[in-house]
Amino acid sequence: MEKIIDGKSISQAIKDECKERCAAYKEKGLDVTLAVIIVGNDPASKVYVGNKKKACTAVGISSLSYELSEDTTEEQLLKLIDDLNNDSKVNGILVQLPLPKGIDEKKVINAISPLKDVDGFHPENVGKMCIGEDGFVSCTPAGIVELLKRSGIKIEGKECVVVGRSNIVGKPMSLLLLRENATVTVCHSKTKDLKEVTRRADILIVAVGKPKMITADYIKEGAVVIDVGIHRDENNKLCGDVDFVDVVDKASAITPVPGGVGPMTIAMLMYNCLESVVLQNQQRD
Ligand code: NDP
């Protein structure tokens, strides 16, 4: 097992597999298409969307781009989603979050057909994941499970602690680990004595959204540490929720930022786009 988990190369392996699968679909006359919607001018969102479209091109997935202005109304956005839901040439629909004020994110997520919800945020897909049925699983937590498995880290029977309980990372993460037969504890801002809980973890997953919050004293010797956070530090360098320099010697394996979890999220989005073809065909059978 490598100490520094290489999310870049693992994600590349997944994208290569997706590329092969995509080519095989093309030979059967199936073109895979992702519709990407961005509303407004958030610079970070623009970078994320650019990276997603680049990955689509590399894998062979067609991407349709909808760049809507900041003053787009909820009604206009819902109408576009409805059109894309009904367009049989579109397999996946992605609405980049956050949305501008005045647009209800929940309504928008609920409007995407669960069969095209490649982000895995629709309540139907969240419910399916919860009870272990086929459906889309949100990309970051799914990517973390892949990262662990492909790094040779056994999850079954392990004490896993997840710091954070957001709908897009912490909650689905804890459910997926449970599905992998780990013993799972979820921590949040009301957790009493966080250190005492995190020090029990064989595998610690941190999605707390606070730069370098997790230092060596939160970690058991030899733990595996997965850092979901993405921030810019005081020198404008990317960093995570974990203080990498402080923790690296104590951990048996750790993800860096950048080059850890981040690239996995995009690779799993590509995987979900290809899965959409399978799910949509199952529906037609
Ligand atoms: P949220 O802000 O939605 O959630 C943060 C969670 O951390 C909440 O559940 C909150 O608890 C908990 N929390 C906050 N402070 C503390 C504390 N002091 N002690 C314990 N728990 C605490 O963040 P996200 O889940 O959306 O994202 C987390 C990080 O991951 C961010 O840095 C984000 O940028 C990054 N991210 C990275 C992705 C990637 O691809 N690598 C993808 C998505 C996110 P409570 O619920 O009680 O408020």
Side-chain angles (χ1 to χ4, degrees):
M1 181 173 79
E2 298 286 329
K3 177 150 189 158
I4 313 292
I5 299 174
D6 187 352
K8 235 176 155 181
S9 72
I10 295 172
S11 67
Q12 190 55 52
I14 294 171
K15 284 191 278 185
D16 290 346
E17 290 160 19
C18 287
K19 190 174 175 179
E20 272 181 33
R21 212 172 137 191
C22 196
Y25 285 168
K26 274 209 174 108
E27 272 180 26
K28 288 191 206 160
L30 285 171
D31 216 0
V32 186
T33 301
L34 172 68
V36 182
I37 305 173
I38 178 168
V39 188
N41 301 310
D42 179 53
S45 292
K46 285 197 167 176
V47 173
Y48 292 143
V49 161
N51 289 341
K52 288 170 188 176
K53 288 198 285 194
K54 239 189 260 166
C56 282
T57 308
V59 165
I61 294 171
S62 309
S63 64
L64 301 174
S65 200
Y66 297 88
E67 292 174 20
L68 309 184
S69 66
E70 187 81 28
D71 59 2
T72 302
T73 63
E74 187 178 284
E75 204 184 355
Q76 287 166 328
L77 180 56
L78 293 176
K79 166 80 173 73
L80 172 61
I81 292 171
D82 190 46
D83 290 346
L84 295 169
N85 281 341
N86 292 314
D87 184 343
S88 60
K89 290 193 286 303
V90 172
N91 303 95
I93 302 171
L94 182 151
V95 179
Q96 185 64 42
L97 302 178
L99 290 167
K101 280 192 194 98
I103 300 184
D104 183 346
E105 268 180 19
K106 254 194 210 163
K107 251 193 197 168
V108 170
I109 290 170
N110 288 359
I112 297 171
S113 160
L115 287 170
K116 298 191 177 188
D117 166 42
V118 284
D119 259 337
F121 293 162
H122 191 285
E124 189 174 313
N125 284 317
V126 177
K128 282 184 169 170
M129 178 188 55
C130 197
I131 58 174
E133 281 186 16
D134 285 349
F136 293 109
V137 176
S138 70
C139 301
T140 302
I144 291 170
V145 170
E146 278 302 308
L147 204 54
L148 291 169
K149 286 185 175 171
R150 290 178 189 235
S151 303
I153 295 163
K154 202 172 149 238
I155 304 172
E156 185 167 308
K158 293 283 174 65
E159 200 74 51
C160 291
V161 174
V162 181
V163 188
R165 57 172 168 181
S166 70
N167 288 340
I168 61 165
V169 189
K171 270 187 209 141
M173 187 71 250
S174 57
L175 287 166
L176 284 186
L177 292 168
L178 191 61
R179 207 157 97 171
E180 297 294 330
N181 298 318
T183 303
V184 185
T185 307
V186 187
C187 303
H188 45 78
S189 66
K190 308 287 184 291
T191 298
K192 280 188 199 150
D193 202 351
L194 183 64
K195 274 185 198 167
E196 189 273 320
V197 184
T198 56
R199 276 201 222 114
R200 282 190 240 140
D202 301 314
I203 301 175
L204 177 65
I205 312 235
V206 187
V208 70
K210 303 247 153 79
K212 299 187 192 175
M213 180 181 133
I214 301 297
T215 46
D217 47 341
Y218 284 82
I219 311 260
K220 176 169 83 176
E221 189 76 48
V224 172
V225 180
I226 305 292
D227 187 355
V228 186
I230 309 176
H231 313 276
R232 293 252 167 216
D233 70 8
E234 56 285 358
N235 303 315
N236 205 30
K237 273 181 70 182
L238 286 174
C239 71
D241 290 343
V242 174
D243 186 336
F244 184 89
V245 174
D246 199 44
V247 166
V248 66
D249 288 340
K250 211 170 177 186
S252 62
I254 183 167
T255 57
V257 179
V261 172
M264 294 301 291
T265 300
I266 294 193
M268 295 317 287
L269 174 68
M270 299 300 106
Y271 176 84
N272 277 355
C273 288
L274 293 163
E275 280 299 291
S276 69
V277 177
V278 178
L279 289 171
Q280 285 153 21
N281 281 335
Q282 273 172 1
Q283 187 74 4
R284 281 188 206 113
D285 290 344

